[in-house]
Amino acid sequence: MASALNPYSPGSGRRPPELADRQDEVDAFDLLMAKARQRLRTAASFGPTHSY
């Protein structure tokens, strides 16, 4: 998209220099992702849990 047409162009696509006071949220998300990965690994090792 042309930057002249982008209403969010001042910071669009740029990573903020710092996420101040967000460490609790970042840690909670990291924990959520770790749990989800573990569940997927466990489910994959046991195979389908249903039968037809």
Side-chain angles (χ1 to χ4, degrees), residues 35-52:
K35 288 180 178 182
R37 280 191 295 271
Q38 182 61 38
R39 287 184 185 142
L40 286 173
R41 276 189 230 115
T42 302
S45 65
F46 286 109
T49 58
H50 60 277
S51 60
Y52 293 101

Side-chain angles (χ1 to χ4, degrees), residues 13-33:
R14 295 185 185 148
R15 184 177 173 98
E18 179 180 3
L19 293 176
D21 297 326
R22 303 286 175 131
Q23 194 58 47
D24 290 341
E25 288 85 355
V26 171
D27 291 343
F29 183 76
D30 288 343
L31 179 61
L32 178 70
M33 293 303 295

